[in-house]
Amino acid sequence: MYSESVRSGRLPAAAPARRPRFMDAVAGEWIKLRSHRGALVALVMGVALTIGLGARSSFQNAGSVRHGYRIVEDPTMITQFGIKFGLLAFTVAGVLVSTVEYTSGTIRPSLMAVPSRNRLFASKAVAFAAVALVAGTLASVTAFFIGAGFLDGAGLSVSWQEPGMARAALAGGPYLALCGLLGMGLGVFLRSPVAALGVAFALFVASIALGSVGSTVMPFDAGLAMTHAHSATALSGGATLGAWTAGALALGWVFLRRRDV
């Protein structure tokens, strides 16, 4: 057919170009994330802190039980203790993923590859959220089972089948992913890793300084109720963290659309 077309002076018709899809942009962001050593190290540290400090807390409390002390608090507050520190690493990962293109000057090529800023922002959030959700869930569930093993060995029954236990262990994944997305929103909004990390750390310190008030209105502390089996504020705490994260992402989206780069 080709030779006949050449003899007749006609070239074969080119295949129509496929229109880029949203998942193509997500795949591109996944490649960027996979090659970002700083963000990957932060995620690994988040997983390690969640599991390691949770296991340490469970081991220490198991020792206290063996010495006659009675543990009256929610067992998941012990097994999931490491999430309080893992959240910082996940937030750092979100900040690094969202600011690397500004610090390296590659934001312009990214916008040339994906001219729609809405699509670029959404694909970046989806790619990071998927990775953070998987890593966070793995860390939270692993911490639960390791901690449950220590506590069971001391005579304190902690079972996955008990009401609220599975929900609390699995909720660690969404909690850590939301913390990372909050950091991502701050990073796109401020375009500086130092400034974004400063704001995130200030929110973390404010949660501690405000005490009981912080546990209801500040994102990190309020959201921790999601990871506790017998917390009466698990739903409202998750909603508070979700609202803060949505606000940070909205700020980043608005300013990404309005700025030149």
Side-chain angles (χ1 to χ4, degrees):
M1 180 181 295
Y2 179 76
S3 59
E4 293 177 359
S5 299
V6 172
R7 283 197 297 269
S8 63
R10 298 193 310 270
L11 292 176
R18 184 173 66 84
R19 186 176 182 179
R21 298 174 300 176
F22 175 70
M23 291 309 298
D24 294 330
V26 173
E29 292 302 325
W30 157 245
I31 293 173
K32 293 178 191 177
L33 175 58
R34 192 174 58 184
S35 61
H36 193 321
R37 184 175 300 177
L40 293 179
V41 168
L43 287 173
V44 170
M45 286 185 61
V47 171
L49 286 169
T50 299
I51 296 174
L53 294 180
R56 181 175 180 270
S57 173
S58 300
F59 178 78
Q60 289 180 333
N61 279 274
S64 297
V65 171
R66 291 191 184 94
H67 286 86
Y69 292 96
R70 183 181 178 186
I71 305 298
V72 295
E73 61 183 330
D74 185 339
T76 53
M77 295 178 70
I78 299 172
T79 62
Q80 311 305 95
F81 176 79
I83 290 180
K84 294 181 179 180
F85 302 92
L87 72 89
L88 291 173
F90 274 75
T91 305
V92 169
V95 169
L96 293 178
V97 164
S98 60
T99 57
V100 63
E101 291 175 314
Y102 293 105
T103 56
S104 64
T106 57
I107 185 63
R108 292 184 185 276
S110 293
L111 288 171
M112 291 177 64
V114 185
S116 171
R117 299 191 180 206
N118 292 341
R119 178 176 293 185
L120 178 65
F121 184 78
S123 61
K124 190 180 295 292
V126 168
F128 176 76
V131 174
L133 180 63
V134 171
T137 302
L138 173 66
S140 180
V141 172
T142 302
F144 174 83
F145 280 110
I146 292 176
F150 283 131
L151 296 175
D152 281 340
L156 183 62
S157 176
V158 180
S159 173
W160 181 265
Q161 285 76 29
E162 292 180 23
M165 294 293 180
R167 190 268 304 159
L170 291 171
Y175 172 79
L176 291 170
L178 285 171
C179 291
L181 286 172
L182 193 155
M184 172 176 283
L186 291 175
V188 177
F189 169 49
L190 297 170
R191 298 193 294 179
S192 165
V194 175
L197 289 174
V199 172
F201 186 71
L203 290 174
F204 179 77
V205 172
S207 298
I208 299 173
L210 291 174
S212 59
V213 176
S215 64
T216 58
V217 300
M218 300 304 293
F220 300 133
D221 211 17
L224 274 175
M226 297 167 58
T227 66
H228 300 157
H230 305 311
S231 173
T233 60
L235 186 59
S236 61
T240 299
L241 174 59
W244 276 86
T245 301
L249 289 172
L251 277 174
W253 172 69
V254 168
F255 277 82
L256 177 64
R257 284 174 54 87
R258 291 186 176 182
R259 292 179 178 129
D260 290 336
V261 292

